[in-house]
Amino acid sequence: MPVIITSLLFAVALAGVPSPVEYVPASDKAFTADLEMDGYTNGRMDVARMMTFRGCTLERDAAYTYALMMEAADRDGVRLEPIDCYRTFDHQKAAYN
């Protein structure tokens, strides 16, 4: 669930930011079909699908959107700090308990 929630939060955050020409979101919902078709489940993401940008590790598609948002904020003089990024299933389970 954190990948989906994170992706949705980034999509919402980018809604008011002009997109670079090369990136136009297909919709305001996270695209996860490719992950599901490849057998990935939330909280159990293969490290090959993960990327880190400014201390926040996310699934690579979410990391790309995150990087766009952070760079747009920088251009506008806004400083954003991540509070929570990708969590493994075990980490999420421990937080829940």
Side-chain angles (χ1 to χ4, degrees), residues 76-97:
D76 291 340
V78 176
R79 178 79 175 139
L80 299 175
E81 292 288 331
I83 295 172
D84 198 10
C85 299
Y86 179 79
R87 292 182 290 183
T88 65
F89 179 81
D90 292 335
H91 185 206
Q92 199 158 294
K93 184 177 176 182
Y96 178 81
N97 289 336

Side-chain angles (χ1 to χ4, degrees), residues 31-79:
F31 181 76
T32 59
D34 63 329
L35 298 174
E36 293 166 11
M37 288 187 323
D38 289 342
Y40 292 107
T41 58
N42 196 20
R44 301 186 193 283
M45 192 62 58
D46 187 316
V47 295
R49 293 281 311 201
M50 306 301 283
M51 293 181 75
T52 301
F53 182 80
R54 293 191 189 170
C56 189
T57 301
L58 299 162
E59 189 276 329
R60 65 182 179 210
D61 296 332
Y64 175 72
T65 306
Y66 171 75
L68 291 175
M69 180 183 68
M70 296 298 277
E71 290 168 356
D74 288 346
R75 284 191 301 275
D76 291 340
V78 176
R79 178 79 175 139

Side-chain angles (χ1 to χ4, degrees), residues 10-24:
F10 295 145
V12 170
L14 283 174
V17 177
S19 297
V21 175
E22 75 275 2
Y23 178 76
V24 178

